Amino acid sequence: MRLDEKSVNGRIYFIYISLSIAFLCVLIRLTYLQTYRHQELKEKADLQQRRAISLAKKRGVITDRNGSILAIDSDSISVYSYAKEYDFSKYTINKITRDLAKALDIKEDFLKNKISNSGFTWIKRQMPVGYKKILDKLDIPGIGYVHESKRIYPKKNLAASLIGFTGIDNTGLAGIEISFDSVLINKNDEEKIFLDGMGREVVSKSKNQVTTGKAKTNTIKLSLDEKIQHVSERELKNGVNLYKAKKGLVAVMDLETGDLLSFATYPSYDLNNPPNNWGVINNWGVSEIYEPGSTMKIFSIASALEKKKVGINEIVACPSEINVGGWQVEDHGSWGTRMLTPLDIIKVSSNTGASIVTRRIPPKDHRDILSKFGFGKRTDSNLTGEIGGILPELPWDQVRQSTISFGQGISVTPIQILTAMTAIARGGMKIEPRIIKEISGIDGKVIKEYKSKETRTLSKDTADKMKNLMMSVVEDKEGTGRATHIPGYVIGGKTGTADKVENGVYGANVMSSFLGFYPAENPKILQFVLLDSPQTARFASMTAVPIYKKIAIDTLKILKIPPTRPEDLIEKDNKL
């Protein structure tokens, strides 16, 4: 059928209008995308065209209280291969493998598997920057490097369980490094590489200058004193080896501020080469519990004095053994019935005496005071992995209260027992331990300062009485801590020899400790030594006490604490 001219023109006009409308719609859409969604689409395109290389991020510095560097980043290079840039006319896979293996000291089989990958592959990360000259000289197409930050620890094993370490990507894995990871690391410090049209990674030679070295980071200042930490670790190591103990711990605290001047555990390790052994890495001073044994008698007698259930000069008849609710409580040795004051109970470490006096306290009151001391809950130390220990819930029968009085049936961490003693040494005011003094920014200005919380735990009268009792434990000839005596100074403290629970029963091993403060007239320092399973001697007076004394002597010198009894020094010189 033949179309007339009018019909043809109408169709042409319709097509023209339709195309014009379609073109206009496309134009409007393009204008909208370019004008209103430009940034959004640009970011999407960037995500499709770029991806992040997992470079180690720059971390802040960790120092001791005096600014001595304990952890810092150094520059390193990480070597990669990118098969797309290989030039087989110059280098075959075998030649690349041979030359590179020799240059980087890598096994050829390992390297060949790496460079045979068709995409981007890390060959070796965080190598000394000196290898850069070697790689530049080789100039192998497809083999390049980028600069990365590498965490180093100049003091090696100093405070290892406390500081912790980082992984290959410079992310914290243990200790303060993981607890304060978000403070130490710059979250915005991330380098990127381009992808080609096929979605494959491309790293150009210009990317060899990628570095994280200029990132802005914070600095953490610890409460530790490097010198006191070193002394603590040295004497602890010697003691653990001498007494053939499983492990050991030393803590030294400034009683005015709560600052931990040292917190040492042994065995230890080099932070630059951490072992694959959690038992060594773990800071067991805050993450493991034990029964405190006779050290608990300090807090039992303090509780009885605070509740006025015993007088400071009261004489208590203490048989060598008593029956409590069908359970036999015994002292070490067959002494018959001894007439003991509270001082004597602590001095000779009488289990029966502690049981008799403590059971005068209503169980609820007894538990409340122990809770005020901090037992059964974590401290405010900011130490990684800290647990709260075990303070049994009420009700307590006579057996429960009795065993707790001499340190069985209750479990504590070393940091808890240290913190509890501050209440006695500081006139009844417990102070929380502090390990982080302050955090400062790149400009050196303090961003956050940490202060230790203080809590009234005992009356000053009770605390002073207990302090005098503990001075006698060291000063009296019969005291179990006599061997800690240092001429010119008075020490107040208590030994602890606690049967160790192993496989659910009390075994042959013990936890041996000495917890004390000095100078005792006006205490400045609180110090704790704990040995796990010493084998050459059972009692703390023969193991923990000698270690304690050596550390105390050096600590007094380092802090320049003057003698409180200079007449002792004169008397000693006259004897010589």
Side-chain angles (χ1 to χ4, degrees):
M1 183 176 68
R2 187 175 181 183
L3 297 175
D4 57 24
E5 184 177 348
K6 184 177 180 179
S7 178
V8 171
N9 289 339
R11 292 187 179 187
I12 292 173
Y13 180 75
F14 175 77
I15 294 172
Y16 172 77
I17 293 297
S18 299
L19 290 174
S20 297
I21 291 172
F23 178 76
L24 183 61
C25 290
V26 171
L27 185 61
I28 292 172
R29 179 63 176 171
L30 288 173
T31 302
Y32 167 74
L33 294 175
Q34 287 289 328
T35 304
Y36 296 101
R37 298 189 61 190
H38 170 75
Q39 187 61 34
E40 176 190 347
L41 295 173
K42 181 178 181 300
E43 291 175 0
K44 287 185 177 181
D46 284 344
L47 288 174
Q48 292 174 350
Q49 296 171 17
R50 299 163 69 92
R51 62 166 294 181
I53 296 179
S54 297
L55 295 182
K57 297 180 179 181
K58 178 75 173 178
R59 294 178 72 83
V61 176
I62 300 176
T63 75
D64 82 336
R65 65 190 299 108
N66 299 311
S68 179
I69 294 175
L70 304 177
I72 192 171
D73 280 5
S74 68
D75 191 20
S76 70
I77 64 168
S78 291
V79 183
Y80 65 84
S81 71
Y82 181 54
K84 187 175 181 293
E85 293 183 351
Y86 290 163
D87 184 351
F88 293 116
S89 64
K90 294 182 178 180
Y91 276 90
T92 64
I93 289 293
N94 288 335
K95 182 170 174 53
I96 294 174
T97 302
R98 185 174 61 253
D99 291 356
L100 201 57
K102 183 178 179 181
L104 302 182
D105 192 24
I106 302 175
K107 292 183 178 180
E108 289 190 24
D109 291 343
F110 170 81
L111 186 57
K112 193 168 186 178
N113 289 332
K114 286 279 188 180
I115 65 176
S116 296
N117 191 301
S118 61
F120 171 88
T121 306
W122 289 116
I123 293 177
K124 195 169 183 179
R125 306 259 320 258
Q126 298 182 352
M127 300 178 66
V129 291
Y131 281 95
K132 182 168 67 172
K133 292 182 179 179
I134 298 173
L135 291 168
D136 288 343
K137 187 175 181 180
L138 287 175
D139 193 24
I140 302 174
I143 303 298
Y145 58 84
V146 292
H147 288 257
E148 282 194 289
S149 287
K150 180 181 181 180
R151 199 64 160 169
I152 60 169
Y153 303 91
K155 310 300 180 182
K156 297 183 178 179
N157 63 341
L158 191 80
S161 64
L162 197 64
I163 296 171
F165 55 91
T166 65
I168 193 70
D169 59 354
N170 237 17
T171 298
L173 296 181
I176 290 169
E177 291 280 33
I178 189 171
S179 293
F180 288 82
D181 196 57
S182 61
V183 173
L184 289 165
I185 208 162
N186 189 323
K187 294 180 180 178
N188 297 319
D189 176 27
E190 184 174 64
E191 297 296 338
K192 295 183 178 181
I193 60 174
F194 289 98
L195 301 179
D196 64 15
M198 299 297 293
R200 293 174 296 189
E201 292 123 328
V202 179
V203 183
S204 65
K205 286 290 182 181
S206 63
K207 294 302 288 182
N208 286 349
Q209 300 307 313
V210 170
T211 178
T212 59
K214 295 181 180 180
K216 296 181 179 181
T217 56
N218 299 321
T219 295
I220 292 181
K221 179 180 285 189
L222 303 183
S223 64
L224 294 183
D225 184 300
E226 180 192 345
K227 293 179 181 178
I228 297 175
Q229 181 73 24
H230 173 72
V231 167
S232 299
E233 292 187 6
R234 181 191 68 205
E235 297 304 332
L236 180 62
K237 177 181 178 181
N238 292 341
V240 168
N241 291 331
L242 177 63
Y243 304 121
K244 294 180 170 56
K246 179 181 177 182
K247 57 187 177 184
L249 174 142
V250 170
V252 179
M253 178 192 277
D254 182 330
L255 280 167
E256 181 178 351
T257 61
D259 283 357
L260 289 172
L261 302 178
S262 82
F263 201 82
T265 59
Y266 184 82
S268 187
Y269 62 96
D270 185 345
L271 287 166
N272 299 294
N273 187 28
N276 187 24
N277 183 346
W278 183 247
V280 176
I281 294 171
N282 176 38
N283 186 358
W284 66 276
V286 300
S287 63
E288 293 184 13
I289 56 176
Y290 71 103
E291 290 191 343
S294 54
T295 304
M296 201 67 192
K297 292 167 188 167
I298 301 168
F299 308 104
S300 298
I301 297 298
S303 299
L305 286 171
E306 183 74 358
K307 290 299 179 180
K308 303 188 185 308
K309 298 300 181 181
V310 69
I312 190 67
N313 296 313
E314 181 181 341
I315 296 177
V316 181
C318 302
S320 294
E321 58 182 63
I322 57 176
N323 186 285
V324 179
W327 189 269
Q328 204 73 4
V329 176
E330 300 176 348
D331 280 344
H332 295 288
S334 300
W335 303 98
T337 297
R338 294 179 288 182
M339 307 306 288
L340 304 176
T341 65
L343 166 61
D344 297 327
I345 290 172
I346 292 177
K347 189 167 61 176
V348 302
S349 200
S350 171
N351 291 339
T352 62
S355 173
I356 291 168
V357 170
T358 305
R359 281 184 291 115
R360 296 176 181 176
I361 311 170
K364 182 180 184 304
D365 291 345
H366 187 191
R367 191 185 188 283
D368 286 347
I369 293 179
L370 294 183
S371 181
K372 284 183 179 180
F373 275 117
F375 298 118
K377 50 193 172 186
R378 290 176 293 187
T379 69
D380 292 340
S381 68
N382 287 309
L383 292 174
T384 306
E386 182 175 354
I387 60 176
I390 300 173
L391 177 61
E393 297 290 341
L394 297 172
W396 290 358
D397 59 17
Q398 281 192 328
V399 175
R400 171 72 76 184
Q401 189 173 15
S402 177
T403 56
I404 286 176
S405 74
F406 49 83
Q408 294 182 355
I410 180 174
S411 295
V412 302
T413 61
I415 192 72
Q416 279 181 333
I417 207 84
L418 180 80
T419 304
M421 180 58 80
T422 65
I424 292 172
R426 301 179 78 252
M429 292 295 291
K430 178 168 69 77
I431 191 168
E432 295 292 326
R434 178 172 71 165
I435 189 60
I436 308 294
K437 279 184 71 71
E438 62 187 34
I439 299 171
S440 56
I442 192 170
D443 57 0
K445 293 182 179 179
V446 176
I447 298 172
K448 183 174 183 179
E449 183 178 0
Y450 290 77
K451 292 187 178 180
S452 297
K453 179 183 177 182
E454 299 180 62
T455 307
R456 170 62 66 183
T457 303
L458 295 173
S459 66
K460 188 176 186 304
D461 179 65
T462 298
D464 288 346
K465 287 175 180 176
M466 288 303 303
K467 185 172 72 172
N468 291 332
L469 292 185
M470 294 182 68
M471 288 166 63
S472 298
V473 170
V474 175
E475 292 298 302
D476 287 3
K477 292 181 180 180
E478 296 179 0
T480 55
R482 175 66 181 169
T484 60
H485 178 72
I486 299 173
Y489 299 90
V490 179
I491 294 175
K494 176 72 177 75
T495 56
T497 304
D499 293 329
K500 187 177 177 183
V501 177
E502 297 175 303
N503 299 319
V505 297
Y506 292 106
N509 290 318
V510 297
M511 300 293 285
S512 172
S513 66
F514 188 82
L515 175 63
F517 45 82
Y518 53 86
E521 301 94 334
N522 183 22
K524 304 291 185 185
I525 299 298
L526 177 61
Q527 185 177 309
F528 185 43
V529 174
L530 177 64
L531 296 180
D532 183 345
S533 307
Q535 299 300 304
T536 61
R538 179 179 178 84
F539 295 107
S541 58
M542 302 172 68
T543 54
V545 166
I547 298 172
Y548 185 102
K549 182 175 181 178
K550 291 176 182 178
I551 296 170
I553 289 172
D554 280 354
T555 298
L556 287 164
K557 291 177 181 178
I558 292 169
L559 297 178
K560 299 179 180 179
I561 298 175
T564 53
R565 291 191 179 179
E567 63 272 17
D568 289 355
L569 300 175
I570 297 173
E571 183 181 340
K572 182 182 178 183
D573 290 340
N574 289 337
K575 288 182 179 180
L576 294 174

